Amino acid sequence: MRALLIPFVTLLITLPTTSSQHTALNFGKNPSSYILLPSFTSTQRTSFSVCAWLKRHSNHLDFYQYWISYGVPDSFMEFGISDSGVSYMFGDGMLPRYQWLRVEENHHVCYAWGEGRAVVYYDGVEIGREKTEEGRELVTPGTLILGQFVSYSGLENIERFRYFGGEMTGVYIFSGMLTKEEVGEVYRGGRCFDVVSRFGSDNIFISWQDILQLERVGMVKEVEVQCSSRERRSRKYGESGKFGEF
């Protein structure tokens, strides 16, 4: 009786990757690439927060590049924040703890304002805070713009050398002041975190999904970025929309 020889077969199984694609926007390194956002409204006059994931492509301004700014007719430098956290409110600047920025690195920046104070967060950690003018409300309407710096309202007031040259995604503007715990949660969630599901659409003035539908001027191009499984995991909450100081 002959033995039945069964060859040993090694099976190579390809498992699905744990990453997915997410849309970001790349802003050209020039003063003519931008997205004009809807103006702040009365809902944001006493408090708001803005967060984004940013990756600069150039060091034309080493210390700071303003990625969002807001100008109004009769008030100089109403609001703006750079990729390093350097910011201003009502014409007063804030120089937070210095962040040494390198090109092609992703970082998360948040600015939260309300109750007479402004707080800046970098990668989920508070790096600066200042008191703002007591009783002062945000002037509306005005020019709210991504990718450029405006000192007053109107596109003619774009300052030529203060543009943001790089990639941004996950830009959200909230109608209220986020707490440090909430900022940390958004940071830990990563670039693909479902912010709208977590905080509720009623608490978000402008979402990243809204921004992707707006007109792009100049060299503003869509790019796809990879999100890890950590960034994509969904979280369930008992009651959506209940957060912070809203």
Side-chain angles (χ1 to χ4, degrees):
M1 182 177 181
R2 291 189 303 175
L4 182 62
L5 299 178
I6 302 176
F8 179 77
V9 179
T10 300
L11 296 178
L12 297 177
I13 301 174
T14 303
L15 297 175
T17 60
T18 58
S19 65
S20 67
Q21 289 188 324
H22 175 77
T23 301
L25 292 176
N26 190 64
F27 286 72
K29 295 175 282 187
N30 59 64
S32 57
S33 297
Y34 62 86
I35 294 178
L36 190 62
L37 303 177
S39 171
F40 283 121
T41 68
S42 58
T43 309
Q44 295 84 43
R45 280 182 183 167
T46 58
S47 63
F48 71 86
S49 303
V50 57
C51 301
W53 283 94
L54 306 163
K55 180 169 70 174
R56 62 164 60 178
H57 290 331
S58 75
N59 278 330
H60 61 278
L61 287 173
D62 289 351
F63 189 40
Y64 58 85
Q65 294 178 27
Y66 283 99
W67 56 275
I68 186 169
S69 61
Y70 179 63
V72 297
D74 300 315
S75 177
F76 181 62
M77 294 171 58
E78 189 76 351
F79 162 71
I81 184 167
S82 73
D83 58 347
S84 66
V86 173
S87 58
Y88 61 86
M89 190 80 185
F90 306 146
D92 292 329
M94 185 195 303
L95 295 174
R97 189 164 65 248
Y98 181 71
Q99 306 301 312
W100 181 260
L101 297 182
R102 297 179 175 87
V103 296
E104 307 305 328
E105 288 184 349
N106 285 298
H107 293 283
H108 190 250
V109 177
C110 272
Y111 183 97
W113 170 71
E115 298 183 352
R117 71 185 191 277
V119 187
V120 175
Y121 301 87
Y122 187 86
D123 286 347
V125 176
E126 180 182 326
I127 61 170
R129 66 167 54 209
E130 277 195 357
K131 292 182 178 180
T132 58
E133 185 179 338
E134 187 175 354
R136 174 77 146 78
E137 294 187 356
L138 194 70
V139 175
T140 58
T143 300
L144 183 59
I145 192 168
L146 284 182
Q148 300 292 335
F149 174 89
V150 290
S151 52
Y152 289 99
S153 62
L155 298 177
E156 69 276 10
N157 289 308
I158 290 176
E159 297 198 11
R160 289 187 56 82
F161 299 107
R162 296 197 182 187
Y163 55 83
F164 173 76
E167 182 182 292
M168 72 175 73
T169 190
V171 179
Y172 289 88
I173 302 177
F174 302 84
S175 295
M177 187 177 187
L178 295 181
T179 66
K180 65 179 180 180
E181 292 81 12
E182 290 158 351
V183 171
E185 182 180 351
V186 175
Y187 165 66
R188 291 189 299 273
R191 291 173 297 176
C192 301
F193 186 54
D194 191 348
V195 175
V196 175
S197 294
R198 165 60 180 93
F199 293 100
S201 58
D202 290 344
N203 295 317
I204 297 174
F205 171 51
I206 300 176
S207 71
W208 182 240
Q209 292 75 21
D210 296 331
I211 291 170
L212 290 176
Q213 303 305 312
L214 297 176
E215 180 183 3
R216 302 162 195 172
V217 178
M219 297 174 60
V220 181
K221 307 294 183 183
E222 284 191 8
V223 293
E224 298 301 319
V225 297
Q226 295 296 321
C227 296
S228 67
S229 57
R230 179 183 69 85
E231 292 179 302
R232 293 187 295 114
R233 65 174 179 260
S234 61
R235 301 176 182 180
K236 295 186 180 297
Y237 299 89
E239 190 172 2
S240 178
K242 299 291 185 180
F243 71 105
E245 300 174 18
F246 287 79

